[in-house]
Amino acid sequence: MKVLVTGGAGYVGSHAVRALVDAGHEVLVLDNLCAGHARAVDRRARLIVGDVGDSALTGSLMARERFDAVMHFAAYIEVGESVKDPLKFYDNNVGNTVRLLMQMQRHDIRRMVFSSTCALYGIPERTPISEDVPRRPESPYARVKLAVEWALADSCAAWGLGFAALRYFNAAGASAAADIGEDHDPETHLIPNVLKVALGQKDAVMLFGTDYDTPDGTCIRDYIHVEDLADAHVRALAALKPGEQRHYNTGTGHGASVREVIDAARAVTGHPIPVRECPRRAGDVPRLFADAGLIRAELGWTPRFTNLRDIVASAWKWHSTHPLGFNDRAAKSAS
Ligand code: UDP
């Protein structure tokens, strides 16, 4: 298929781009590079630097290229920022998606795979979380993702859009070749921040909350390897038909606590990784892990990475060879 990938220079998007071209698809990436990295885009894909909300641009690309499908990753991702500046998120993540969808409707492109999030379950009624757990988003970030899911569902009913919303748990790790990986600024995620300590870029990892109602008092998350996530996108695209909607929780089904992640990183890096115990971070939920039975059953998707230490080792391979992410000297000289 010929696929337009928005946000394909970002962390999950760039891994999906590679998986798509590996699977034989033709890919055009549209990314404004506000957070993505041109270097992260597989050389077999084309990159257009531009904005998803630029309807003249997306319209002309769609008229010229005749895409079969859109994979939509482009979005702001930082929950804390969404609380401080919600309209920025509604404008970019909802408004621009609506503009993209209008162009898709106009050019009769009726397949979309969308990056959604497990955050839209809020404090889940039960774990493991299946897709029918009530959606009770707690942050503007999560509400905005849910709003897009509604726009997709209404488009499905009205003009036959087919969509798959992949509700990610915690994306982690890097490509097997360790040439693309996670590089956010600022970095808020646990695993990269733990590994920055092992790299000597931070003195200690801040551990947000030790008094949760969990076995070791720290939050439990479901860390899903980014290549497994990418594979889920490729499978969703292959299965998707115009006029149908699919929602899938994409996680391993196994939870790991913050302390378990830090212990795994100590084992992988051989570094003691000092910890600074801090108060809870606003908005954190004690326990999130997926019931991924539906995506397994319908798409035959099985994560290859089920062991936390392997996931952390994969991230370490990337961070230790690219201590400054895509801007480091090794990356520059390799290009
Ligand atoms: N966390 C932490 N220190 C950090 C970053 C995160 O203790 O420097 C905790 C955070 O409070 C949460 C878990 O690690 O309980 C996962 O956080 P992350 O930001 O990676 O993902 P989220 O689940 O918030 O999307």
Side-chain angles (χ1 to χ4, degrees):
M1 275 191 243
K2 194 164 184 179
V3 188
L4 174 66
V5 181
T6 76
Y11 174 43
V12 182
S14 60
H15 288 81
V17 166
R18 179 166 295 174
L20 282 168
V21 289
D22 282 345
H25 297 289
E26 185 181 344
V27 174
L28 191 145
V29 170
L30 176 62
D31 197 303
N32 66 9
L33 300 183
C34 79
H37 307 274
R39 218 184 288 276
V41 177
D42 193 287
R43 284 168 197 216
R44 294 166 294 172
R46 285 176 290 158
L47 168 65
I48 303 272
V49 179
D51 218 278
V52 172
D54 180 346
S55 299
L57 173 62
T58 56
S60 71
L61 287 175
M62 287 176 195
R64 189 180 79 203
E65 303 284 344
R66 306 198 162 275
F67 300 108
D68 300 295
V70 175
M71 258 188 205
H72 184 36
F73 295 93
Y76 295 144
I77 61 161
E78 220 205 295
V79 179
E81 190 189 9
S82 81
V83 175
K84 289 193 198 109
D85 197 353
L87 296 182
K88 179 176 169 184
F89 278 65
Y90 278 90
D91 183 33
N92 187 60
N93 295 12
V94 181
N96 283 351
T97 302
V98 169
R99 284 182 271 280
L100 179 69
L101 285 167
M102 289 166 102
Q103 292 305 319
M104 289 176 66
Q105 180 181 12
R106 199 168 141 218
H107 294 277
D108 198 30
I109 300 170
R110 291 192 290 152
R111 283 189 187 86
M112 178 183 268
V113 181
F114 172 60
S115 297
S116 191
T117 174
C118 68
L120 48 74
Y121 297 109
I123 299 173
E125 201 175 83
R126 55 182 190 275
T127 48
I129 303 170
S130 50
E131 289 77 1
D132 57 350
V133 165
R135 268 74 69 201
R136 294 190 191 121
E138 299 248 332
S139 66
Y141 166 76
R143 278 189 280 278
V144 155
K145 287 284 184 189
L146 184 55
V148 172
E149 285 199 7
W150 284 335
L152 296 175
D154 288 333
S155 295
C156 177
W159 54 274
L161 174 73
F163 76 91
L166 301 188
R167 295 174 178 161
Y168 305 166
F169 283 66
N170 290 56
S175 71
D179 58 335
I180 52 175
E182 193 164 7
D183 181 3
H184 295 123
D185 183 20
E187 186 54 77
T188 60
H189 294 119
L190 178 64
I191 292 176
N193 277 324
V194 168
L195 297 178
K196 278 178 199 285
V197 180
L199 284 170
Q201 295 175 356
K202 288 179 154 212
D203 296 338
V205 63
M206 300 211 285
L207 199 174
F208 298 129
T210 54
D211 59 348
Y212 286 98
D213 182 20
T214 58
D216 68 16
T218 67
C219 288
I220 291 174
R221 294 288 180 273
D222 184 338
Y223 295 91
I224 175 74
H225 195 276
V226 66
E227 288 192 329
D228 285 323
L229 265 186
D231 177 44
H233 285 78
V234 175
R235 286 171 186 267
L237 179 68
L240 191 59
K241 296 191 176 49
E244 66 173 19
Q245 53 175 301
R246 297 165 180 253
H247 302 88
Y248 295 125
N249 287 347
T250 43
T252 62
H254 305 288
S257 73
V258 177
R259 286 200 200 278
E260 285 171 333
V261 170
I262 296 167
D263 282 342
R266 287 177 177 140
V268 165
T269 64
H271 190 284
I273 310 190
V275 165
R276 191 174 311 132
E277 295 188 1
C278 304
R280 293 179 176 199
R281 190 173 70 174
D284 277 341
V285 172
R287 204 184 296 261
L288 288 173
F289 56 100
D291 173 347
L294 187 66
I295 186 169
R296 273 175 212 267
E298 292 194 356
L299 301 185
W301 178 76
T302 314
R304 283 191 312 122
F305 286 83
T306 50
N307 180 298
L308 179 65
R309 203 179 281 197
D310 293 341
I311 293 175
V312 172
S314 159
W316 178 237
K317 200 171 160 198
W318 155 255
H319 288 288
S320 57
T321 53
H322 300 77
L324 301 176
F326 287 99
N327 290 322
D328 74 89
R329 225 179 288 130
K332 279 198 180 106
S333 60
S335 64

